Amino acid sequence: PPPDKISATISTLKIPNVRLPEADPSLIKAFAFTNTSLFLSIPNPLLPAVAANRSLALRWLYRHVLPFYPRSKITLISVGNAVLDSVAEQDFTPYLLPAMRNLHLALHELGIKKIPVSTTFSFFSTITTAFPPSSAEFQQPAGDLIIKPLLQFLEETNSSFLINLYPYNLYRLNSEIPVGFALFQDYPFNFRDDLVTGVRYFNLFDMMADSVLTAMAVMGYESVPVIVAETGWPSGGGEAGEVEANEAYAEMYLKGLVRHLKSGVGTPLKKDGVAEVYVYELMDHEGGNNDNNKVKGRKWGILTENMTRKFNVEFSSGVKNYGLMGIFLFLIAIFYAFP
């Protein structure tokens, strides 16, 4: 859809934060003078160039940030997405931290000091276990070689650790997990105890979030805020036998998630919980997805392809101290290139 229509739809839905994985300048411009904060991303194929030369980091900022900021409320930039997942195709990990440093320094050269820089990881390629959360660590050798120095950078620059967190995928992998536990449902005996810490969990989202927090604490960086950069539940499609990928369950997950976040109770291990949560995704699109987290054909949108609402979920803010809801807009790019 045209950028102006997307911006107007987001405003109508009263969604305060939006992630744009493809930072299209016309779309960034469409959010000027709105109340919507923007979370931009630099695609993985650009990391080697941004890491090699700060002038190329400046060039990206001159196209995607400087013409629009602060009229468009850009609040965060992710340098790459799920880079550890892409190692089989091309290893971008050596470029990750140098690219983040170059972009951070380029922002400061331009006098922009309020846009933090981070990168996004996938739970399944980053964390060793979700249960018990107290036993979670970062997978090695990436934990020591990549994530630890990155956490130091995030702490030094007052940025956040970004993680894609999908209870649906963990539920699909483990038949012992009750679907109600993944859907925030209040059923009798719908809890799991961490026998090491004595902490009781009532939903899978908190269990996965606390696994991330534990892994960060093991490395000594428990004070770095955590942002869930993607989460959601498919309303259809996918592989044969995915009967849980339906609109009823998707609405239950989203309503339960929003209700939990607005309650302000945080997670069992962190009173103020995660800093922000972004829901994947704004609308269904033809062909579905085909990456490590999202099987081709699944429908993740809160809107249909023609932008009509599928669920009665209130995404407006009003959250106490456990993050703002955001929507991850997935806009397909034909190619990546600097102008």
Side-chain angles (χ1 to χ4, degrees), residues 282-316:
L282 180 67
M283 71 190 79
D284 293 335
H285 50 90
E286 187 176 353
N289 304 285
N290 191 17
D291 64 34
N292 290 343
N293 286 323
K294 296 171 280 292
V295 171
K296 188 174 180 63
R298 287 181 185 164
K299 303 292 186 181
W300 296 85
I302 66 165
L303 306 178
T304 64
E305 292 179 23
N306 60 8
M307 300 189 74
T308 58
R309 293 189 69 165
K310 290 158 62 176
F311 313 118
N312 183 24
V313 181
E314 179 55 63
F315 286 102
S316 63

Side-chain angles (χ1 to χ4, degrees), residues 8 21 48 69 83 159 171 313:
Y69 180 82
V83 169
S159 191
Y171 163 76
V313 181

Side-chain angles (χ1 to χ4, degrees), residues 167-168 171 179 182-183 231-235 244-246 249-250 253 299-300:
Y168 177 78
Y171 163 76
V179 68
L183 293 172
T231 192
W233 193 283
S235 60
E244 295 85 2
N246 61 67
Y249 280 0
Y253 179 78
K299 303 292 186 181
W300 296 85

Side-chain angles (χ1 to χ4, degrees), residues 22 42-50 80-81 90 92 95 335-338:
E22 314 300 343
I42 296 179
N44 293 349
L46 294 185
L47 297 191
V50 176
N81 180 57
Q90 182 177 352
F92 293 108
Y95 310 105
F335 60 89
Y336 308 109
F338 285 105

Side-chain angles (χ1 to χ4, degrees), residues 14-27:
K14 299 180 181 178
I15 295 170
N17 290 24
V18 174
R19 181 178 180 185
L20 307 179
E22 314 300 343
D24 182 83
S26 62
L27 187 56

Side-chain angles (χ1 to χ4, degrees), residues 10 15 17-21 39 163-166 184 205 227-234 250 253-255 257-258 261 276-283 294 300-303 311 313-315 324-330:
I10 292 293
I15 295 170
N17 290 24
V18 174
R19 181 178 180 185
L20 307 179
F39 166 1
I163 190 88
N164 298 336
L165 192 155
Y166 285 93
F184 297 93
F205 179 91
I227 290 177
V228 176
E230 294 181 30
T231 192
W233 193 283
Y253 179 78
L254 293 175
K255 283 185 174 180
L257 176 68
V258 172
L261 297 176
E276 295 178 359
V277 176
Y278 288 80
V279 170
Y280 183 93
E281 63 183 327
L282 180 67
M283 71 190 79
K294 296 171 280 292
W300 296 85
I302 66 165
L303 306 178
F311 313 118
V313 181
E314 179 55 63
F315 286 102
L324 295 173
M325 290 303 301
I327 288 296
F328 184 156
L329 293 183
F330 188 86

